[in-house]
PDB file of all heavy atoms in Angstrom:
ATOM      1  N   TYR H  12       1.715  -4.573  -0.667  1.00  0.00           N
ATOM      2  CA  TYR H  12       2.181  -3.405  -1.381  1.00  0.00           C
ATOM      3  C   TYR H  12       1.197  -2.291  -1.286  1.00  0.00           C
ATOM      4  O   TYR H  12      -0.046  -2.536  -1.214  1.00  0.00           O
ATOM      5  CB  TYR H  12       2.389  -3.771  -2.894  1.00  0.00           C
ATOM      6  CG  TYR H  12       3.490  -4.772  -3.048  1.00  0.00           C
ATOM      7  CD1 TYR H  12       3.208  -6.135  -3.050  1.00  0.00           C
ATOM      8  CD2 TYR H  12       4.786  -4.360  -3.239  1.00  0.00           C
ATOM      9  CE1 TYR H  12       4.250  -7.047  -3.220  1.00  0.00           C
ATOM     10  CE2 TYR H  12       5.812  -5.268  -3.379  1.00  0.00           C
ATOM     11  CZ  TYR H  12       5.541  -6.619  -3.372  1.00  0.00           C
ATOM     12  OH  TYR H  12       6.528  -7.575  -3.512  1.00  0.00           O
ATOM     13  N   LYS H  13       1.682  -1.106  -1.279  1.00  0.00           N
ATOM     14  CA  LYS H  13       0.779   0.121  -1.183  1.00  0.00           C
ATOM     15  C   LYS H  13       1.305   1.143  -2.139  1.00  0.00           C
ATOM     16  O   LYS H  13       2.563   1.243  -2.348  1.00  0.00           O
ATOM     17  CB  LYS H  13       0.833   0.688   0.252  1.00  0.00           C
ATOM     18  CG  LYS H  13      -0.158   1.848   0.425  1.00  0.00           C
ATOM     19  CD  LYS H  13      -0.358   2.062   1.865  1.00  0.00           C
ATOM     20  CE  LYS H  13      -1.409   3.202   2.092  1.00  0.00           C
ATOM     21  NZ  LYS H  13      -2.751   2.830   1.622  1.00  0.00           N
ATOM     22  N   VAL H  14       0.423   1.922  -2.735  1.00  0.00           N
ATOM     23  CA  VAL H  14       0.805   3.011  -3.652  1.00  0.00           C
ATOM     24  C   VAL H  14       0.416   4.336  -2.998  1.00  0.00           C
ATOM     25  O   VAL H  14      -0.724   4.456  -2.585  1.00  0.00           O
ATOM     26  CB  VAL H  14       0.170   2.852  -5.060  1.00  0.00           C
ATOM     27  CG1 VAL H  14       0.433   4.027  -5.912  1.00  0.00           C
ATOM     28  CG2 VAL H  14       0.660   1.535  -5.713  1.00  0.00           C
ATOM     29  N   LEU H  15       1.360   5.211  -2.983  1.00  0.00           N
ATOM     30  CA  LEU H  15       1.059   6.604  -2.521  1.00  0.00           C
ATOM     31  C   LEU H  15       1.411   7.582  -3.620  1.00  0.00           C
ATOM     32  O   LEU H  15       2.102   7.229  -4.554  1.00  0.00           O
ATOM     33  CB  LEU H  15       1.922   6.935  -1.266  1.00  0.00           C
ATOM     34  CG  LEU H  15       1.750   6.075  -0.032  1.00  0.00           C
ATOM     35  CD1 LEU H  15       2.693   6.438   1.080  1.00  0.00           C
ATOM     36  CD2 LEU H  15       0.241   6.209   0.481  1.00  0.00           C
ATOM     37  N   THR H  16       0.928   8.831  -3.501  1.00  0.00           N
ATOM     38  CA  THR H  16       1.281   9.810  -4.462  1.00  0.00           C
ATOM     39  C   THR H  16       2.753  10.215  -4.349  1.00  0.00           C
ATOM     40  O   THR H  16       3.471   9.828  -3.381  1.00  0.00           O
ATOM     41  CB  THR H  16       0.453  11.116  -4.278  1.00  0.00           C
ATOM     42  OG1 THR H  16       0.689  11.672  -2.960  1.00  0.00           O
ATOM     43  CG2 THR H  16      -1.064  10.771  -4.397  1.00  0.00           C
ATOM     44  N   HIS H  17       3.232  11.006  -5.271  1.00  0.00           N
ATOM     45  CA  HIS H  17       4.643  11.449  -5.206  1.00  0.00           C
ATOM     46  C   HIS H  17       5.042  12.158  -3.980  1.00  0.00           C
ATOM     47  O   HIS H  17       6.131  12.124  -3.520  1.00  0.00           O
ATOM     48  CB  HIS H  17       4.995  12.340  -6.453  1.00  0.00           C
ATOM     49  CG  HIS H  17       4.378  13.707  -6.315  1.00  0.00           C
ATOM     50  ND1 HIS H  17       3.026  14.008  -6.515  1.00  0.00           N
ATOM     51  CD2 HIS H  17       4.929  14.908  -6.018  1.00  0.00           C
ATOM     52  CE1 HIS H  17       2.783  15.271  -6.309  1.00  0.00           C
ATOM     53  NE2 HIS H  17       3.949  15.885  -5.988  1.00  0.00           N
ATOM     54  N   PRO H  22      -3.651   8.106  -2.413  1.00  0.00           N
ATOM     55  CA  PRO H  22      -4.113   8.625  -3.691  1.00  0.00           C
ATOM     56  C   PRO H  22      -5.596   8.749  -3.808  1.00  0.00           C
ATOM     57  O   PRO H  22      -6.144   9.588  -4.523  1.00  0.00           O
ATOM     58  CB  PRO H  22      -3.601   7.593  -4.695  1.00  0.00           C
ATOM     59  CG  PRO H  22      -3.317   6.354  -3.973  1.00  0.00           C
ATOM     60  CD  PRO H  22      -2.926   6.795  -2.578  1.00  0.00           C
ATOM     61  N   THR H  59      -0.317  -7.861  -4.280  1.00  0.00           N
ATOM     62  CA  THR H  59       0.670  -7.623  -5.247  1.00  0.00           C
ATOM     63  C   THR H  59       0.788  -6.144  -5.639  1.00  0.00           C
ATOM     64  O   THR H  59      -0.224  -5.420  -5.443  1.00  0.00           O
ATOM     65  CB  THR H  59       0.404  -8.423  -6.561  1.00  0.00           C
ATOM     66  OG1 THR H  59      -0.764  -7.850  -7.177  1.00  0.00           O
ATOM     67  CG2 THR H  59       0.212  -9.909  -6.294  1.00  0.00           C
ATOM     68  N   LEU H  60       1.873  -5.770  -6.137  1.00  0.00           N
ATOM     69  CA  LEU H  60       2.030  -4.375  -6.599  1.00  0.00           C
ATOM     70  C   LEU H  60       1.125  -4.076  -7.754  1.00  0.00           C
ATOM     71  O   LEU H  60       0.539  -3.062  -7.887  1.00  0.00           O
ATOM     72  CB  LEU H  60       3.486  -4.063  -6.905  1.00  0.00           C
ATOM     73  CG  LEU H  60       3.762  -2.643  -7.422  1.00  0.00           C
ATOM     74  CD1 LEU H  60       3.258  -1.584  -6.427  1.00  0.00           C
ATOM     75  CD2 LEU H  60       5.286  -2.494  -7.696  1.00  0.00           C
ATOM     76  N   ALA H  61       0.955  -5.071  -8.610  1.00  0.00           N
ATOM     77  CA  ALA H  61       0.026  -4.920  -9.807  1.00  0.00           C
ATOM     78  C   ALA H  61      -1.417  -4.589  -9.302  1.00  0.00           C
ATOM     79  O   ALA H  61      -2.075  -3.707  -9.875  1.00  0.00           O
ATOM     80  CB  ALA H  61       0.050  -6.124 -10.656  1.00  0.00           C
ATOM     81  N   THR H  62      -1.860  -5.256  -8.260  1.00  0.00           N
ATOM     82  CA  THR H  62      -3.179  -5.014  -7.782  1.00  0.00           C
ATOM     83  C   THR H  62      -3.272  -3.631  -7.141  1.00  0.00           C
ATOM     84  O   THR H  62      -4.190  -2.868  -7.362  1.00  0.00           O
ATOM     85  CB  THR H  62      -3.625  -6.111  -6.722  1.00  0.00           C
ATOM     86  OG1 THR H  62      -3.528  -7.377  -7.443  1.00  0.00           O
ATOM     87  CG2 THR H  62      -4.998  -5.819  -6.222  1.00  0.00           C
ATOM     88  N   ALA H  63      -2.295  -3.294  -6.315  1.00  0.00           N
ATOM     89  CA  ALA H  63      -2.231  -2.002  -5.637  1.00  0.00           C
ATOM     90  C   ALA H  63      -2.270  -0.832  -6.696  1.00  0.00           C
ATOM     91  O   ALA H  63      -3.022   0.122  -6.585  1.00  0.00           O
ATOM     92  CB  ALA H  63      -1.034  -1.849  -4.743  1.00  0.00           C
ATOM     93  N   ALA H  64      -1.460  -1.066  -7.739  1.00  0.00           N
ATOM     94  CA  ALA H  64      -1.421  -0.041  -8.807  1.00  0.00           C
ATOM     95  C   ALA H  64      -2.707   0.038  -9.648  1.00  0.00           C
ATOM     96  O   ALA H  64      -3.121   1.107 -10.062  1.00  0.00           O
ATOM     97  CB  ALA H  64      -0.212  -0.251  -9.722  1.00  0.00           C
ATOM     98  N   SER H  65      -3.346  -1.115  -9.813  1.00  0.00           N
ATOM     99  CA  SER H  65      -4.631  -1.125 -10.572  1.00  0.00           C
ATOM    100  C   SER H  65      -5.725  -0.327  -9.858  1.00  0.00           C
ATOM    101  O   SER H  65      -6.639   0.220 -10.439  1.00  0.00           O
ATOM    102  CB  SER H  65      -5.081  -2.522 -10.932  1.00  0.00           C
ATOM    103  OG  SER H  65      -5.588  -3.176  -9.746  1.00  0.00           O
ATOM    104  N   ILE H  66      -5.634  -0.308  -8.525  1.00  0.00           N
ATOM    105  CA  ILE H  66      -6.579   0.416  -7.699  1.00  0.00           C
ATOM    106  C   ILE H  66      -6.249   1.865  -7.593  1.00  0.00           C
ATOM    107  O   ILE H  66      -7.126   2.744  -7.815  1.00  0.00           O
ATOM    108  CB  ILE H  66      -6.672  -0.241  -6.246  1.00  0.00           C
ATOM    109  CG1 ILE H  66      -7.215  -1.651  -6.359  1.00  0.00           C
ATOM    110  CG2 ILE H  66      -7.500   0.641  -5.324  1.00  0.00           C
ATOM    111  CD1 ILE H  66      -7.064  -2.480  -5.057  1.00  0.00           C
ATOM    112  N   ALA H  67      -4.957   2.204  -7.342  1.00  0.00           N
ATOM    113  CA  ALA H  67      -4.559   3.518  -7.107  1.00  0.00           C
ATOM    114  C   ALA H  67      -4.014   4.272  -8.311  1.00  0.00           C
ATOM    115  O   ALA H  67      -4.066   5.510  -8.355  1.00  0.00           O
ATOM    116  CB  ALA H  67      -3.555   3.561  -5.960  1.00  0.00           C
ATOM    117  N   GLY H  68      -3.397   3.499  -9.203  1.00  0.00           N
ATOM    118  CA  GLY H  68      -2.776   4.102 -10.444  1.00  0.00           C
ATOM    119  C   GLY H  68      -1.334   4.431 -10.193  1.00  0.00           C
ATOM    120  O   GLY H  68      -0.866   4.654  -9.121  1.00  0.00           O
ATOM    121  N   PHE H  69      -0.586   4.425 -11.334  1.00  0.00           N
ATOM    122  CA  PHE H  69       0.812   4.796 -11.290  1.00  0.00           C
ATOM    123  C   PHE H  69       1.007   6.274 -11.381  1.00  0.00           C
ATOM    124  O   PHE H  69       2.086   6.754 -10.955  1.00  0.00           O
ATOM    125  CB  PHE H  69       1.582   4.077 -12.400  1.00  0.00           C
ATOM    126  CG  PHE H  69       1.863   2.651 -12.130  1.00  0.00           C
ATOM    127  CD1 PHE H  69       1.278   1.617 -12.912  1.00  0.00           C
ATOM    128  CD2 PHE H  69       2.750   2.298 -11.166  1.00  0.00           C
ATOM    129  CE1 PHE H  69       1.567   0.276 -12.743  1.00  0.00           C
ATOM    130  CE2 PHE H  69       3.080   0.952 -10.924  1.00  0.00           C
ATOM    131  CZ  PHE H  69       2.433  -0.017 -11.709  1.00  0.00           C
ATOM    132  N   TRP H  70       0.045   7.036 -11.857  1.00  0.00           N
ATOM    133  CA  TRP H  70       0.127   8.482 -11.976  1.00  0.00           C
ATOM    134  C   TRP H  70      -1.198   9.148 -11.568  1.00  0.00           C
ATOM    135  O   TRP H  70      -1.825   9.831 -12.362  1.00  0.00           O
ATOM    136  CB  TRP H  70       0.438   8.890 -13.446  1.00  0.00           C
ATOM    137  CG  TRP H  70       1.719   8.288 -13.908  1.00  0.00           C
ATOM    138  CD1 TRP H  70       3.032   8.808 -13.684  1.00  0.00           C
ATOM    139  CD2 TRP H  70       1.917   7.058 -14.599  1.00  0.00           C
ATOM    140  NE1 TRP H  70       3.929   7.992 -14.276  1.00  0.00           N
ATOM    141  CE2 TRP H  70       3.325   6.923 -14.855  1.00  0.00           C
ATOM    142  CE3 TRP H  70       1.078   6.081 -15.119  1.00  0.00           C
ATOM    143  CZ2 TRP H  70       3.887   5.811 -15.514  1.00  0.00           C
ATOM    144  CZ3 TRP H  70       1.650   5.009 -15.770  1.00  0.00           C
ATOM    145  CH2 TRP H  70       2.974   4.891 -15.981  1.00  0.00           C
ATOM    146  N   PRO H  71      -1.677   8.897 -10.338  1.00  0.00           N
ATOM    147  CA  PRO H  71      -3.003   9.384  -9.953  1.00  0.00           C
ATOM    148  C   PRO H  71      -3.128  10.912 -10.008  1.00  0.00           C
ATOM    149  O   PRO H  71      -4.213  11.418 -10.150  1.00  0.00           O
ATOM    150  CB  PRO H  71      -3.237   8.844  -8.539  1.00  0.00           C
ATOM    151  CG  PRO H  71      -1.840   8.669  -8.016  1.00  0.00           C
ATOM    152  CD  PRO H  71      -1.010   8.309  -9.267  1.00  0.00           C
ATOM    153  N   ASP H  72      -2.048  11.629  -9.774  1.00  0.00           N
ATOM    154  CA  ASP H  72      -2.153  13.133  -9.767  1.00  0.00           C
ATOM    155  C   ASP H  72      -1.213  13.747 -10.873  1.00  0.00           C
ATOM    156  O   ASP H  72      -0.841  14.932 -10.769  1.00  0.00           O
ATOM    157  CB  ASP H  72      -1.767  13.663  -8.406  1.00  0.00           C
ATOM    158  CG  ASP H  72      -0.380  13.241  -7.949  1.00  0.00           C
ATOM    159  OD1 ASP H  72       0.312  12.585  -8.651  1.00  0.00           O
ATOM    160  OD2 ASP H  72      -0.008  13.652  -6.836  1.00  0.00           O
ATOM    161  N   GLY H  73      -0.863  12.954 -11.874  1.00  0.00           N
ATOM    162  CA  GLY H  73       0.017  13.456 -12.955  1.00  0.00           C
ATOM    163  C   GLY H  73       1.478  13.273 -12.625  1.00  0.00           C
ATOM    164  O   GLY H  73       2.322  13.501 -13.487  1.00  0.00           O
ATOM    165  N   TRP H  74       1.800  12.835 -11.443  1.00  0.00           N
ATOM    166  CA  TRP H  74       3.212  12.575 -11.009  1.00  0.00           C
ATOM    167  C   TRP H  74       3.371  11.092 -10.818  1.00  0.00           C
ATOM    168  O   TRP H  74       2.381  10.424 -10.430  1.00  0.00           O
ATOM    169  CB  TRP H  74       3.553  13.275  -9.699  1.00  0.00           C
ATOM    170  CG  TRP H  74       3.528  14.796  -9.822  1.00  0.00           C
ATOM    171  CD1 TRP H  74       2.398  15.582  -9.729  1.00  0.00           C
ATOM    172  CD2 TRP H  74       4.643  15.642 -10.009  1.00  0.00           C
ATOM    173  NE1 TRP H  74       2.742  16.868  -9.817  1.00  0.00           N
ATOM    174  CE2 TRP H  74       4.108  16.992 -10.023  1.00  0.00           C
ATOM    175  CE3 TRP H  74       6.003  15.491 -10.197  1.00  0.00           C
ATOM    176  CZ2 TRP H  74       4.927  18.063 -10.220  1.00  0.00           C
ATOM    177  CZ3 TRP H  74       6.789  16.575 -10.345  1.00  0.00           C
ATOM    178  CH2 TRP H  74       6.258  17.853 -10.366  1.00  0.00           C
ATOM    179  N   SER H  75       4.545  10.588 -10.907  1.00  0.00           N
ATOM    180  CA  SER H  75       4.743   9.085 -10.618  1.00  0.00           C
ATOM    181  C   SER H  75       4.434   8.769  -9.168  1.00  0.00           C
ATOM    182  O   SER H  75       4.851   9.512  -8.265  1.00  0.00           O
ATOM    183  CB  SER H  75       6.257   8.738 -10.889  1.00  0.00           C
ATOM    184  OG  SER H  75       6.548   8.934 -12.245  1.00  0.00           O
ATOM    185  N   SER H  76       3.767   7.701  -9.008  1.00  0.00           N
ATOM    186  CA  SER H  76       3.379   7.231  -7.664  1.00  0.00           C
ATOM    187  C   SER H  76       4.658   6.698  -6.951  1.00  0.00           C
ATOM    188  O   SER H  76       5.633   6.344  -7.577  1.00  0.00           O
ATOM    189  CB  SER H  76       2.385   6.093  -7.738  1.00  0.00           C
ATOM    190  OG  SER H  76       1.193   6.542  -8.220  1.00  0.00           O
ATOM    191  N   ARG H  77       4.535   6.563  -5.632  1.00  0.00           N
ATOM    192  CA  ARG H  77       5.568   5.918  -4.817  1.00  0.00           C
ATOM    193  C   ARG H  77       4.935   4.547  -4.568  1.00  0.00           C
ATOM    194  O   ARG H  77       3.932   4.417  -3.949  1.00  0.00           O
ATOM    195  CB  ARG H  77       5.791   6.622  -3.551  1.00  0.00           C
ATOM    196  CG  ARG H  77       6.246   8.082  -3.751  1.00  0.00           C
ATOM    197  CD  ARG H  77       7.197   8.500  -2.773  1.00  0.00           C
ATOM    198  NE  ARG H  77       7.554   9.896  -2.949  1.00  0.00           N
ATOM    199  CZ  ARG H  77       8.775  10.301  -3.264  1.00  0.00           C
ATOM    200  NH1 ARG H  77       9.741   9.439  -3.432  1.00  0.00           N
ATOM    201  NH2 ARG H  77       8.958  11.613  -3.398  1.00  0.00           N
ATOM    202  N   CYS H  78       5.701   3.552  -4.995  1.00  0.00           N
ATOM    203  CA  CYS H  78       5.275   2.151  -4.772  1.00  0.00           C
ATOM    204  C   CYS H  78       6.094   1.558  -3.680  1.00  0.00           C
ATOM    205  O   CYS H  78       7.278   1.594  -3.683  1.00  0.00           O
ATOM    206  CB  CYS H  78       5.544   1.333  -6.052  1.00  0.00           C
ATOM    207  SG  CYS H  78       4.632   1.981  -7.571  1.00  0.00           S
ATOM    208  N   LEU H  79       5.395   1.025  -2.717  1.00  0.00           N
ATOM    209  CA  LEU H  79       5.976   0.558  -1.482  1.00  0.00           C
ATOM    210  C   LEU H  79       5.718  -0.849  -1.075  1.00  0.00           C
ATOM    211  O   LEU H  79       4.570  -1.365  -1.302  1.00  0.00           O
ATOM    212  CB  LEU H  79       5.491   1.471  -0.307  1.00  0.00           C
ATOM    213  CG  LEU H  79       5.834   2.915  -0.451  1.00  0.00           C
ATOM    214  CD1 LEU H  79       4.711   3.802   0.082  1.00  0.00           C
ATOM    215  CD2 LEU H  79       7.147   3.278   0.232  1.00  0.00           C
ATOM    216  N   CYS H 105       9.624   0.134  -3.719  1.00  0.00           N
ATOM    217  CA  CYS H 105       9.835  -1.058  -4.662  1.00  0.00           C
ATOM    218  C   CYS H 105      10.911  -0.759  -5.673  1.00  0.00           C
ATOM    219  O   CYS H 105      11.139   0.419  -6.019  1.00  0.00           O
ATOM    220  CB  CYS H 105       8.499  -1.280  -5.345  1.00  0.00           C
ATOM    221  SG  CYS H 105       7.178  -1.837  -4.287  1.00  0.00           S
ATOM    222  N   SER H 106      11.537  -1.788  -6.088  1.00  0.00           N
ATOM    223  CA  SER H 106      12.594  -1.649  -7.068  1.00  0.00           C
ATOM    224  C   SER H 106      12.016  -1.372  -8.514  1.00  0.00           C
ATOM    225  O   SER H 106      10.841  -1.618  -8.711  1.00  0.00           O
ATOM    226  CB  SER H 106      13.430  -2.921  -7.149  1.00  0.00           C
ATOM    227  OG  SER H 106      12.638  -3.966  -7.703  1.00  0.00           O
ATOM    228  N   GLU H 107      12.854  -0.866  -9.353  1.00  0.00           N
ATOM    229  CA  GLU H 107      12.430  -0.666 -10.737  1.00  0.00           C
ATOM    230  C   GLU H 107      11.976  -1.936 -11.335  1.00  0.00           C
ATOM    231  O   GLU H 107      10.972  -1.951 -12.101  1.00  0.00           O
ATOM    232  CB  GLU H 107      13.561  -0.023 -11.572  1.00  0.00           C
ATOM    233  CG  GLU H 107      13.789   1.396 -11.237  1.00  0.00           C
ATOM    234  CD  GLU H 107      14.852   2.052 -12.167  1.00  0.00           C
ATOM    235  OE1 GLU H 107      14.933   1.706 -13.365  1.00  0.00           O
ATOM    236  OE2 GLU H 107      15.611   2.937 -11.657  1.00  0.00           O
ATOM    237  N   GLU H 108      12.643  -3.031 -11.057  1.00  0.00           N
ATOM    238  CA  GLU H 108      12.260  -4.317 -11.567  1.00  0.00           C
ATOM    239  C   GLU H 108      10.825  -4.768 -11.069  1.00  0.00           C
ATOM    240  O   GLU H 108      10.039  -5.266 -11.890  1.00  0.00           O
ATOM    241  CB  GLU H 108      13.243  -5.417 -11.148  1.00  0.00           C
ATOM    242  CG  GLU H 108      12.959  -6.775 -11.619  1.00  0.00           C
ATOM    243  CD  GLU H 108      13.930  -7.821 -11.144  1.00  0.00           C
ATOM    244  OE1 GLU H 108      15.133  -7.615 -11.220  1.00  0.00           O
ATOM    245  OE2 GLU H 108      13.450  -8.890 -10.707  1.00  0.00           O
ATOM    246  N   GLU H 109      10.559  -4.513  -9.801  1.00  0.00           N
ATOM    247  CA  GLU H 109       9.217  -4.810  -9.320  1.00  0.00           C
ATOM    248  C   GLU H 109       8.155  -3.956 -10.009  1.00  0.00           C
ATOM    249  O   GLU H 109       7.077  -4.485 -10.390  1.00  0.00           O
ATOM    250  CB  GLU H 109       9.137  -4.607  -7.827  1.00  0.00           C
ATOM    251  CG  GLU H 109       9.898  -5.607  -6.988  1.00  0.00           C
ATOM    252  CD  GLU H 109       9.997  -5.215  -5.530  1.00  0.00           C
ATOM    253  OE1 GLU H 109      10.457  -4.032  -5.233  1.00  0.00           O
ATOM    254  OE2 GLU H 109       9.538  -6.005  -4.646  1.00  0.00           O
ATOM    255  N   ILE H 110       8.456  -2.718 -10.219  1.00  0.00           N
ATOM    256  CA  ILE H 110       7.515  -1.806 -10.896  1.00  0.00           C
ATOM    257  C   ILE H 110       7.257  -2.207 -12.339  1.00  0.00           C
ATOM    258  O   ILE H 110       6.122  -2.310 -12.788  1.00  0.00           O
ATOM    259  CB  ILE H 110       7.963  -0.325 -10.725  1.00  0.00           C
ATOM    260  CG1 ILE H 110       7.908   0.054  -9.223  1.00  0.00           C
ATOM    261  CG2 ILE H 110       7.074   0.613 -11.590  1.00  0.00           C
ATOM    262  CD1 ILE H 110       8.633   1.371  -8.961  1.00  0.00           C
ATOM    263  N   ARG H 111       8.342  -2.495 -13.041  1.00  0.00           N
ATOM    264  CA  ARG H 111       8.152  -2.925 -14.426  1.00  0.00           C
ATOM    265  C   ARG H 111       7.370  -4.211 -14.544  1.00  0.00           C
ATOM    266  O   ARG H 111       6.475  -4.358 -15.370  1.00  0.00           O
ATOM    267  CB  ARG H 111       9.555  -3.126 -15.074  1.00  0.00           C
ATOM    268  CG  ARG H 111      10.149  -1.803 -15.568  1.00  0.00           C
ATOM    269  CD  ARG H 111      11.374  -2.091 -16.482  1.00  0.00           C
ATOM    270  NE  ARG H 111      12.434  -2.761 -15.852  1.00  0.00           N
ATOM    271  CZ  ARG H 111      13.452  -2.217 -15.215  1.00  0.00           C
ATOM    272  NH1 ARG H 111      13.545  -0.887 -15.164  1.00  0.00           N
ATOM    273  NH2 ARG H 111      14.411  -2.918 -14.676  1.00  0.00           N
ATOM    274  N   ALA H 112       7.659  -5.163 -13.656  1.00  0.00           N
ATOM    275  CA  ALA H 112       6.896  -6.458 -13.685  1.00  0.00           C
ATOM    276  C   ALA H 112       5.400  -6.210 -13.341  1.00  0.00           C
ATOM    277  O   ALA H 112       4.559  -6.844 -13.975  1.00  0.00           O
ATOM    278  CB  ALA H 112       7.463  -7.429 -12.649  1.00  0.00           C
ATOM    279  N   SER H 113       5.084  -5.344 -12.442  1.00  0.00           N
ATOM    280  CA  SER H 113       3.728  -5.011 -12.132  1.00  0.00           C
ATOM    281  C   SER H 113       3.014  -4.320 -13.312  1.00  0.00           C
ATOM    282  O   SER H 113       1.826  -4.566 -13.597  1.00  0.00           O
ATOM    283  CB  SER H 113       3.590  -4.204 -10.827  1.00  0.00           C
ATOM    284  OG  SER H 113       4.039  -2.931 -11.052  1.00  0.00           O
ATOM    285  N   MET H 114       3.744  -3.504 -14.022  1.00  0.00           N
ATOM    286  CA  MET H 114       3.180  -2.845 -15.203  1.00  0.00           C
ATOM    287  C   MET H 114       2.846  -3.907 -16.278  1.00  0.00           C
ATOM    288  O   MET H 114       1.823  -3.740 -16.966  1.00  0.00           O
ATOM    289  CB  MET H 114       4.145  -1.782 -15.772  1.00  0.00           C
ATOM    290  CG  MET H 114       4.148  -0.558 -14.888  1.00  0.00           C
ATOM    291  SD  MET H 114       5.353   0.640 -15.607  1.00  0.00           S
ATOM    292  CE  MET H 114       4.886   2.080 -14.744  1.00  0.00           C
ATOM    293  N   ARG H 115       3.735  -4.813 -16.472  1.00  0.00           N
ATOM    294  CA  ARG H 115       3.516  -5.911 -17.453  1.00  0.00           C
ATOM    295  C   ARG H 115       2.309  -6.734 -17.085  1.00  0.00           C
ATOM    296  O   ARG H 115       1.550  -7.204 -17.967  1.00  0.00           O
ATOM    297  CB  ARG H 115       4.716  -6.787 -17.643  1.00  0.00           C
ATOM    298  CG  ARG H 115       5.861  -6.028 -18.420  1.00  0.00           C
ATOM    299  CD  ARG H 115       6.972  -7.033 -18.810  1.00  0.00           C
ATOM    300  NE  ARG H 115       7.692  -7.566 -17.661  1.00  0.00           N
ATOM    301  CZ  ARG H 115       8.741  -6.984 -17.084  1.00  0.00           C
ATOM    302  NH1 ARG H 115       9.176  -5.878 -17.585  1.00  0.00           N
ATOM    303  NH2 ARG H 115       9.326  -7.559 -16.045  1.00  0.00           N
ATOM    304  N   ALA H 116       2.115  -6.970 -15.797  1.00  0.00           N
ATOM    305  CA  ALA H 116       0.950  -7.762 -15.331  1.00  0.00           C
ATOM    306  C   ALA H 116      -0.334  -7.058 -15.602  1.00  0.00           C
ATOM    307  O   ALA H 116      -1.375  -7.633 -15.844  1.00  0.00           O
ATOM    308  CB  ALA H 116       1.121  -8.050 -13.824  1.00  0.00           C
TER     309      ALA H 116
END
Side-chain angles (χ1 to χ4, degrees):
Y12 296 89
K13 184 164 185 67
V14 173
L15 298 176
T16 63
H17 74 284
T59 68
L60 180 54
T62 301
S65 73
I66 294 167
F69 282 113
W70 300 275
D72 60 358
W74 297 82
S75 297
S76 295
R77 301 216 186 245
C78 301
L79 300 143
C105 294
S106 68
E107 286 184 35
E108 180 182 314
E109 289 172 304
I110 294 168
R111 279 193 297 268
S113 68
M114 287 178 163
R115 285 190 295 272

